Amino acid sequence: MAKETRKWDFSFDNDNPEVFYKVDVITGEVIDQGTYKPIFNGDRLITAEQQAAWDKYNQKKEKKARRRKISKENGDHYFVPRLHRFPDLKPQTATRLIYLFTYADYSERGGQLLLTQKTKMAKKDLQIVLGLSDDAVNDFLAEVCPQYLLTDDKGGIFATSLAYQRGALRDGRTYHRFYDRWVQTLYRNVSTRKHRYLGYIFQLLPYVSVEYNVLCYNPMEEDIAKIEFMSLGEFCKQIGYDSSHTDRLLKAYRQMRFPVIDKGGMHTERFVSITYDGQNRHNAKVFVNPRILYSGAHPESVELLGAFSQD
């Protein structure tokens, strides 16, 4: 069958060369006026709408590739729903749960906790793993079971799917990505008395910017100029912290550092970086280190804005 001849073409407007028209090649009739703005893409003439769609596709493809690269560099990870706040837990309990999730594998029940690939974690192991007393472990389990953790008749411990997911995401929700290695390193370098400070951040996950890892009120915004930052004063209100004691809060976060070994050698980084202009601390911005949790495509932007390696 002969190939059908196209019955329309594009025409320039002599008075306004930026505008094009879709014209019937036989009758000269304008089929669509003022809506088509063709541009050359290689040897093809395409519309601006088509180019915009192509650009959007390529941007999405590039972001996906960058996220894969970030995941490869940081290693194994799991996901926590972006809107989850661990509302029924104490801040320190949320921290210990986030840490235990790094031991969970893939399974039909959400993820079994493992000490090694072949050794299952049992309740008797929690005192050593968490670095807590036996009474503190019992209090922890009373808070997190059965919503977040389950046990079976063989002594196994499982993470439920309420706030834990590992592997492919298929439920349509958005998630924060936590990196096992760095969560474990952070936890082991922060005293149990300071676990609540980590938990303050973990209980504000809905406010963590996906791209910039800063606490804000429009976390899906990708333009840094449009970010509506949460100030340090507002952060204190969110966590129920007396803002008259911000010195103590700032000191606690300055001291929360963990070792990092990269191409430049070994150095330490802060879990949280609180930045301000040196005048009004209550307007300071709160950045979270992207090694711990990050779902965006440009961690270098976060590192630059947060300056986590500075003393």
Side-chain angles (χ1 to χ4, degrees):
M1 186 173 67
K3 185 177 180 180
E4 184 179 354
T5 303
R6 192 176 70 175
K7 295 184 174 63
W8 55 267
D9 206 342
F10 291 108
S11 175
F12 292 88
D13 186 321
N14 293 329
D15 295 326
N16 188 351
E18 297 296 322
V19 176
F20 294 77
Y21 299 95
K22 187 177 181 182
V23 179
D24 188 302
V25 296
I26 298 176
T27 66
E29 177 187 2
V30 174
I31 301 172
D32 206 345
Q33 178 178 341
T35 57
Y36 281 85
K37 298 181 180 180
I39 56 178
F40 281 99
N41 183 338
D43 59 351
R44 295 186 302 118
L45 194 63
I46 66 173
T47 68
E49 290 86 349
Q50 290 172 323
Q51 183 65 51
W54 181 249
D55 290 343
K56 185 176 181 180
Y57 167 79
N58 282 330
Q59 289 170 5
K60 186 175 181 180
K61 185 178 179 180
E62 181 185 356
K63 281 186 177 181
K64 190 173 182 179
R66 289 184 64 88
R67 289 191 177 103
R68 281 199 300 267
K69 182 175 181 291
I70 294 166
S71 295
K72 185 176 180 180
E73 291 173 351
N74 287 292
D76 293 341
H77 56 271
Y78 66 88
F79 301 94
V80 173
R82 189 181 65 80
L83 297 179
H84 194 76
R85 296 190 62 170
F86 304 96
D88 45 352
L89 302 182
K90 296 174 183 176
Q92 57 268 35
T93 303
T95 295
R96 293 156 189 169
L97 185 65
I98 288 287
Y99 172 63
L100 274 187
F101 284 163
T102 67
Y103 289 92
D105 73 345
Y106 308 84
S107 82
E108 295 179 359
R109 295 185 62 179
Q112 183 163 17
L113 304 191
L114 302 174
L115 290 173
T116 68
Q117 289 185 343
K118 296 183 178 180
T119 306
K120 299 176 181 179
M121 186 183 298
K123 179 182 175 182
K124 62 181 177 60
D125 300 311
L126 291 178
Q127 187 174 349
I128 293 176
V129 172
L130 292 172
L132 302 175
S133 67
D134 190 51
D135 287 342
V137 168
N138 289 331
D139 291 341
F140 168 78
L141 290 174
E143 277 192 73
V144 300
C145 295
Q147 296 95 328
Y148 299 99
L149 295 180
L150 294 172
T151 58
D152 62 15
D153 54 6
K154 297 180 180 179
I157 307 174
F158 298 81
T160 73
S161 59
L162 175 63
Y164 169 84
Q165 180 70 44
R166 196 183 289 270
L169 302 175
R170 299 187 178 91
D171 60 7
R173 292 187 295 177
T174 54
Y175 286 80
H176 282 297
R177 188 189 310 252
F178 284 77
Y179 292 98
D180 295 353
R181 172 171 56 131
W182 298 119
V183 170
Q184 290 181 4
T185 302
L186 173 67
Y187 186 93
R188 293 165 184 167
N189 281 272
V190 174
S191 72
T192 57
R193 293 181 296 104
K194 299 294 179 67
H195 283 177
R196 70 181 185 278
Y197 291 100
L198 304 180
Y200 292 151
I201 299 296
F202 298 144
Q203 290 185 315
L204 292 181
L205 290 182
Y207 296 99
V208 177
S209 165
V210 170
E211 195 61 55
Y212 298 102
N213 257 38
V214 64
L215 295 183
C216 66
Y217 295 104
N218 52 343
M220 304 306 292
E221 177 59 59
E222 296 186 3
D223 185 345
I224 188 66
K226 296 180 181 179
I227 293 289
E228 299 170 9
F229 297 100
M230 178 186 294
S231 69
L232 179 61
E234 292 165 335
F235 170 61
C236 289
K237 288 182 180 179
Q238 285 282 346
I239 64 176
Y241 194 91
D242 187 347
S243 59
S244 65
H245 294 152
T246 52
D247 282 342
R248 185 184 306 165
L249 187 69
L250 291 171
K251 181 180 179 181
Y253 282 122
R254 278 197 302 270
Q255 293 175 342
M256 288 182 192
R257 306 181 74 99
F258 59 98
V260 174
I261 300 176
D262 56 21
K263 294 179 181 179
M266 191 181 83
H267 63 278
T268 61
E269 294 184 8
R270 287 194 293 267
F271 165 56
V272 163
S273 181
I274 300 177
T275 64
Y276 64 102
D277 57 12
Q279 297 179 359
N280 188 347
R281 287 185 304 184
H282 287 278
N283 290 330
K285 302 174 181 63
V286 182
F287 290 86
V288 183
N289 194 309
R291 294 187 192 275
I292 306 302
L293 68 104
Y294 188 61
S295 298
H298 298 278
E300 68 280 359
S301 298
V302 184
E303 292 163 3
L304 178 63
L305 292 167
F308 299 99
S309 298
Q310 292 183 3
D311 293 330

